[in-house]
Protein backbone atom coordinates (compact mmCIF):
# COMPACT_ATOMS: atom_id res chain seq x y z
CA UNK A 1 0.00 0.00 0.00
CA UNK A 2 1.29 3.44 -0.94
CA UNK A 3 1.33 6.00 1.88
CA UNK A 4 2.36 9.61 1.40
CA UNK A 5 3.95 11.63 4.22
CA UNK A 6 1.90 14.73 4.98
CA UNK A 7 -1.31 13.39 3.38
CA UNK A 8 -4.06 13.86 5.95
CA UNK A 9 -6.07 10.96 4.54
CA UNK A 10 -3.10 8.59 4.68
CA UNK A 11 -2.83 9.63 8.35
CA UNK A 12 -6.60 9.05 8.82
CA UNK A 13 -6.94 11.17 11.94
CA UNK A 14 -10.68 10.57 12.40
CA UNK A 15 -11.72 7.41 14.25
CA UNK A 16 -13.44 5.09 11.79
CA UNK A 17 -16.96 3.78 12.32
CA UNK A 18 -16.00 0.79 10.19
CA UNK A 19 -12.77 -0.20 8.54
CA UNK A 20 -11.12 -3.13 6.87
CA UNK A 21 -7.76 -3.47 5.13
CA UNK A 22 -8.98 -1.55 2.05
CA UNK A 23 -11.10 1.38 3.28
CA UNK A 24 -12.45 3.25 6.30
CA UNK A 25 -15.90 4.78 6.86
CA UNK A 26 -16.03 7.91 8.99
CA UNK A 27 -18.65 10.37 10.14
CA UNK A 28 -17.71 13.94 9.24
CA UNK A 29 -17.87 16.48 12.06
CA UNK A 30 -19.83 19.21 10.22
CA UNK A 31 -22.19 21.24 12.41
CA UNK A 32 -24.50 21.99 9.47
CA UNK A 33 -24.52 18.47 8.05
CA UNK A 34 -25.05 15.80 10.69
CA UNK A 35 -24.97 12.46 8.90
CA UNK A 36 -22.31 13.59 6.40
CA UNK A 37 -20.10 10.51 6.01
CA UNK A 38 -17.10 9.46 3.96
CA UNK A 39 -15.53 6.34 2.56
CA UNK A 40 -11.75 6.77 2.52
CA UNK A 41 -9.71 4.38 0.41
CA UNK A 42 -6.60 3.46 2.41
CA UNK A 43 -4.10 3.20 -0.42
CA UNK A 44 -2.95 6.64 -1.63
CA UNK A 45 -4.69 6.48 -5.00
CA UNK A 46 -5.69 9.59 -6.94
CA UNK A 47 -8.65 8.63 -9.13
CA UNK A 48 -11.34 5.94 -9.15
CA UNK A 49 -9.98 4.90 -12.53
CA UNK A 50 -6.56 4.24 -10.99
CA UNK A 51 -8.06 1.28 -9.10
CA UNK A 52 -7.98 -2.30 -10.27
CA UNK A 53 -11.45 -3.54 -11.28
CA UNK A 54 -11.85 -5.62 -8.14
CA UNK A 55 -11.05 -2.65 -5.91
CA UNK A 56 -13.27 -0.30 -7.91
CA UNK A 57 -16.22 -2.64 -7.38
CA UNK A 58 -15.40 -3.00 -3.70
CA UNK A 59 -15.33 0.78 -3.31
CA UNK A 60 -18.57 1.16 -5.25
CA UNK A 61 -20.17 -1.38 -2.94
CA UNK A 62 -18.89 0.54 0.10
CA UNK A 63 -20.30 3.88 -1.10
CA UNK A 64 -23.63 2.21 -1.88
CA UNK A 65 -23.73 0.49 1.52
CA UNK A 66 -23.00 3.80 3.23
CA UNK A 67 -25.73 5.53 1.20
CA UNK A 68 -28.21 2.89 2.37
CA UNK A 69 -27.23 3.41 6.02
CA UNK A 70 -27.54 7.19 5.67
CA UNK A 71 -30.96 6.87 4.04
CA UNK A 72 -32.16 4.40 6.65
CA UNK A 73 -31.32 6.57 9.65
CA UNK A 74 -31.18 10.17 8.41
CA UNK A 75 -34.16 9.91 6.02
CA UNK A 76 -32.88 12.74 3.81
CA UNK A 77 -34.82 14.40 1.00
CA UNK A 78 -31.86 13.61 -1.30
CA UNK A 79 -28.44 12.02 -1.04
CA UNK A 80 -25.40 13.71 -2.61
CA UNK A 81 -22.47 11.47 -3.50
CA UNK A 82 -19.17 12.86 -4.73
CA UNK A 83 -15.48 12.13 -5.19
CA UNK A 84 -13.60 15.41 -5.67
CA UNK A 85 -10.15 15.37 -4.07
CA UNK A 86 -8.85 18.65 -5.47
CA UNK A 87 -7.42 19.69 -2.11
CA UNK A 88 -6.41 16.23 -0.89
CA UNK A 89 -5.87 14.01 -3.95
CA UNK A 90 -6.31 10.79 -2.01
CA UNK A 91 -9.37 8.85 -3.12
CA UNK A 92 -12.40 9.42 -0.88
CA UNK A 93 -16.16 9.63 -1.33
CA UNK A 94 -18.56 12.04 0.33
CA UNK A 95 -22.08 10.81 1.15
CA UNK A 96 -24.19 13.75 2.27
CA UNK A 97 -27.82 13.69 3.42
CA UNK A 98 -29.65 16.74 2.10
CA UNK A 99 -32.84 18.41 3.30
CA UNK A 100 -34.95 21.28 2.01
CA UNK A 101 -34.05 23.26 5.15
CA UNK A 102 -30.29 22.66 5.07
CA UNK A 103 -27.81 25.51 4.69
CA UNK A 104 -27.41 25.24 0.90
CA UNK A 105 -30.37 23.35 -0.53
CA UNK A 106 -30.88 22.92 -3.46
CA UNK A 107 -27.32 24.04 -4.22
CA UNK A 108 -24.40 21.71 -3.50
CA UNK A 109 -22.93 22.02 0.00
CA UNK A 110 -19.85 23.67 -1.53
CA UNK A 111 -21.85 26.67 -2.79
CA UNK A 112 -22.60 29.73 -0.68
CA UNK A 113 -24.93 29.06 2.23
CA UNK A 114 -28.41 30.48 1.72
CA UNK A 115 -30.02 29.89 5.11
CA UNK A 116 -29.51 28.84 8.72
CA UNK A 117 -31.15 25.56 9.63
CA UNK A 118 -33.20 25.88 12.86
CA UNK A 119 -31.10 24.76 15.84
CA UNK A 120 -33.71 22.27 17.06
CA UNK A 121 -33.83 20.64 13.65
CA UNK A 122 -30.04 20.27 13.58
CA UNK A 123 -30.08 18.97 17.15
CA UNK A 124 -32.63 16.36 16.17
CA UNK A 125 -30.39 15.19 13.34
CA UNK A 126 -27.27 15.20 15.51
CA UNK A 127 -29.17 13.00 17.97
CA UNK A 128 -29.37 10.32 15.25
CA UNK A 129 -25.60 9.93 14.85
CA UNK A 130 -25.19 7.04 17.31
CA UNK A 131 -27.95 5.21 15.46
CA UNK A 132 -26.25 6.01 12.15
CA UNK A 133 -22.95 4.62 13.40
CA UNK A 134 -24.74 1.44 14.49
CA UNK A 135 -26.44 1.10 11.10
CA UNK A 136 -23.12 1.54 9.30
CA UNK A 137 -21.47 -1.08 11.49
CA UNK A 138 -24.34 -3.50 10.98
CA UNK A 139 -24.56 -3.04 7.21
CA UNK A 140 -20.81 -3.32 6.60
CA UNK A 141 -20.46 -6.31 8.91
CA UNK A 142 -23.00 -8.19 6.79
CA UNK A 143 -21.42 -7.39 3.37
CA UNK B 1 -39.41 2.70 -17.59
CA UNK B 2 -40.79 5.53 -15.47
CA UNK B 3 -40.90 8.93 -17.17
CA UNK B 4 -42.03 12.09 -15.42
CA UNK B 5 -43.68 14.96 -17.30
CA UNK B 6 -41.73 18.19 -16.87
CA UNK B 7 -38.47 16.45 -15.86
CA UNK B 8 -35.76 17.89 -18.07
CA UNK B 9 -33.67 14.74 -17.81
CA UNK B 10 -36.56 12.51 -18.83
CA UNK B 11 -36.88 14.79 -21.86
CA UNK B 12 -33.09 14.54 -22.50
CA UNK B 13 -32.85 17.65 -24.66
CA UNK B 14 -29.10 17.35 -25.26
CA UNK B 15 -27.95 15.12 -28.10
CA UNK B 16 -26.17 12.11 -26.65
CA UNK B 17 -22.61 11.20 -27.60
CA UNK B 18 -23.47 7.62 -26.71
CA UNK B 19 -26.67 6.00 -25.55
CA UNK B 20 -28.23 2.62 -25.07
CA UNK B 21 -31.56 1.56 -23.60
CA UNK B 22 -30.38 2.28 -20.03
CA UNK B 23 -28.36 5.50 -20.09
CA UNK B 24 -27.09 8.39 -22.20
CA UNK B 25 -23.69 10.12 -22.16
CA UNK B 26 -23.66 13.82 -23.00
CA UNK B 27 -21.11 16.61 -23.16
CA UNK B 28 -22.16 19.56 -21.03
CA UNK B 29 -22.09 22.96 -22.73
CA UNK B 30 -20.20 24.88 -20.02
CA UNK B 31 -17.92 27.65 -21.30
CA UNK B 32 -15.61 27.34 -18.27
CA UNK B 33 -15.48 23.55 -18.24
CA UNK B 34 -14.88 22.04 -21.67
CA UNK B 35 -14.85 18.27 -21.22
CA UNK B 36 -17.54 18.34 -18.49
CA UNK B 37 -19.65 15.27 -19.26
CA UNK B 38 -22.61 13.45 -17.75
CA UNK B 39 -24.07 10.00 -17.59
CA UNK B 40 -27.86 10.28 -17.42
CA UNK B 41 -29.81 7.23 -16.34
CA UNK B 42 -32.91 7.00 -18.54
CA UNK B 43 -35.37 5.67 -16.01
CA UNK B 44 -36.63 8.38 -13.65
CA UNK B 45 -34.86 7.06 -10.55
CA UNK B 46 -33.94 9.27 -7.61
CA UNK B 47 -30.93 7.67 -5.91
CA UNK B 48 -28.18 5.24 -6.84
CA UNK B 49 -29.48 3.01 -4.08
CA UNK B 50 -32.89 2.85 -5.79
CA UNK B 51 -31.33 0.83 -8.60
CA UNK B 52 -31.30 -2.94 -8.83
CA UNK B 53 -27.78 -4.33 -8.32
CA UNK B 54 -27.34 -5.13 -11.98
CA UNK B 55 -28.24 -1.59 -12.99
CA UNK B 56 -26.08 -0.06 -10.27
CA UNK B 57 -23.05 -1.95 -11.58
CA UNK B 58 -23.89 -0.99 -15.15
CA UNK B 59 -24.09 2.68 -14.15
CA UNK B 60 -20.84 2.42 -12.18
CA UNK B 61 -19.18 0.94 -15.23
CA UNK B 62 -20.52 3.80 -17.38
CA UNK B 63 -19.21 6.52 -15.05
CA UNK B 64 -15.83 4.78 -14.91
CA UNK B 65 -15.70 4.42 -18.70
CA UNK B 66 -16.53 8.10 -19.09
CA UNK B 67 -13.84 9.05 -16.57
CA UNK B 68 -11.29 7.08 -18.59
CA UNK B 69 -12.31 8.87 -21.80
CA UNK B 70 -12.12 12.28 -20.10
CA UNK B 71 -8.68 11.50 -18.68
CA UNK B 72 -7.42 10.18 -22.01
CA UNK B 73 -8.34 13.25 -24.02
CA UNK B 74 -8.57 16.16 -21.55
CA UNK B 75 -5.56 15.14 -19.40
CA UNK B 76 -6.93 16.93 -16.32
CA UNK B 77 -5.03 17.52 -13.11
CA UNK B 78 -7.94 15.86 -11.25
CA UNK B 79 -11.32 14.37 -12.10
CA UNK B 80 -14.39 15.28 -10.04
CA UNK B 81 -17.25 12.78 -10.04
CA UNK B 82 -20.59 13.53 -8.41
CA UNK B 83 -24.24 12.58 -8.27
CA UNK B 84 -26.22 15.39 -6.63
CA UNK B 85 -29.67 15.84 -8.17
CA UNK B 86 -31.07 18.33 -5.69
CA UNK B 87 -32.54 20.49 -8.44
CA UNK B 88 -33.45 17.69 -10.85
CA UNK B 89 -33.91 14.49 -8.79
CA UNK B 90 -33.40 12.21 -11.78
CA UNK B 91 -30.26 10.09 -11.42
CA UNK B 92 -27.27 11.52 -13.29
CA UNK B 93 -23.50 11.67 -12.77
CA UNK B 94 -21.20 14.58 -13.42
CA UNK B 95 -17.66 13.84 -14.61
CA UNK B 96 -15.64 17.06 -14.58
CA UNK B 97 -12.01 17.53 -15.67
CA UNK B 98 -10.27 19.94 -13.30
CA UNK B 99 -7.13 22.03 -13.80
CA UNK B 100 -5.10 24.30 -11.54
CA UNK B 101 -6.09 27.25 -13.75
CA UNK B 102 -9.82 26.54 -13.92
CA UNK B 103 -12.39 29.00 -12.55
CA UNK B 104 -12.76 27.36 -9.11
CA UNK B 105 -9.73 25.16 -8.45
CA UNK B 106 -9.19 23.71 -5.87
CA UNK B 107 -12.78 24.37 -4.77
CA UNK B 108 -15.63 22.37 -6.31
CA UNK B 109 -17.13 23.88 -9.48
CA UNK B 110 -20.25 24.78 -7.46
CA UNK B 111 -18.34 27.16 -5.19
CA UNK B 112 -17.71 30.80 -6.02
CA UNK B 113 -15.37 31.33 -8.97
CA UNK B 114 -11.93 32.56 -7.96
CA UNK B 115 -10.33 33.29 -11.34
CA UNK B 116 -10.82 33.61 -15.07
CA UNK B 117 -9.09 30.93 -17.11
CA UNK B 118 -7.07 32.46 -19.99
CA UNK B 119 -9.15 32.44 -23.18
CA UNK B 120 -6.49 30.66 -25.21
CA UNK B 121 -6.29 27.89 -22.61
CA UNK B 122 -10.06 27.41 -22.70
CA UNK B 123 -10.01 27.50 -26.50
CA UNK B 124 -7.37 24.77 -26.51
CA UNK B 125 -9.57 22.60 -24.31
CA UNK B 126 -12.69 23.31 -26.36
CA UNK B 127 -10.73 22.21 -29.42
CA UNK B 128 -10.44 18.73 -27.88
CA UNK B 129 -14.19 18.10 -27.67
CA UNK B 130 -14.52 16.30 -31.01
CA UNK B 131 -11.70 14.01 -29.94
CA UNK B 132 -13.39 13.49 -26.57
CA UNK B 133 -16.66 12.56 -28.26
CA UNK B 134 -14.79 10.06 -30.43
CA UNK B 135 -13.06 8.55 -27.37
CA UNK B 136 -16.38 8.21 -25.56
CA UNK B 137 -17.98 6.52 -28.56
CA UNK B 138 -15.02 4.16 -28.96
CA UNK B 139 -14.80 3.22 -25.28
CA UNK B 140 -18.54 2.64 -24.82
CA UNK B 141 -18.81 0.70 -28.07
CA UNK B 142 -16.21 -1.75 -26.77
CA UNK B 143 -17.81 -2.33 -23.32
Amino acid sequence: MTQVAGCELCALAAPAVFENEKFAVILVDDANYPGFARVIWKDHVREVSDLADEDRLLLNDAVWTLELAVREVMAPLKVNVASLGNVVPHLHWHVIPRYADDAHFPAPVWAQAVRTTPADVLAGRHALLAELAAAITRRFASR
Side-chain angles (χ1 to χ4, degrees), chain A:
Chain A
M1 182 170 355
T2 306
Q3 296 280 278
V4 172
C7 171
E8 65 185 77
L9 292 183
C10 284
L12 246 197
V17 176
F18 173 86
E19 66 181 310
N20 58 27
E21 71 278 14
K22 292 285 192 174
F23 62 83
V25 180
I26 66 160
L27 294 182
V28 178
D29 182 18
D30 185 320
N32 285 317
Y33 288 97
F36 189 154
R38 283 192 192 114
V39 177
I40 301 170
W41 193 252
K42 289 194 174 178
D43 196 8
H44 188 83
V45 168
R46 191 172 181 86
E47 308 284 4
V48 172
S49 51
D50 289 330
L51 293 175
D53 266 12
E54 183 186 333
D55 283 342
R56 175 171 59 90
L57 295 173
L58 182 67
L59 178 55
N60 178 250
D61 191 277
V63 175
W64 169 75
T65 301
L66 179 55
E67 178 179 314
L68 286 172
V70 167
R71 290 182 73 180
E72 173 192 332
V73 177
M74 304 304 297
L77 176 60
K78 187 72 191 68
V79 182
N80 288 177
V81 183
S83 178
L84 307 176
N86 305 319
V87 176
V88 184
H90 174 136
L91 188 57
H92 60 285
W93 279 89
H94 307 285
V95 175
I96 314 167
R98 301 298 309 275
Y99 306 88
D101 62 6
D102 74 35
H104 303 81
F105 200 88
V109 300
W110 305 282
Q112 277 214 292
V114 292
R115 73 180 65 79
T116 301
T117 308
D120 61 322
V121 171
L122 279 178
R125 290 179 192 147
H126 276 281
L128 296 170
L129 294 184
E131 190 184 336
L132 176 57
I136 290 169
T137 304
R138 171 174 42 81
R139 285 182 178 269
F140 277 90
S142 68
R143 293 303 298 166

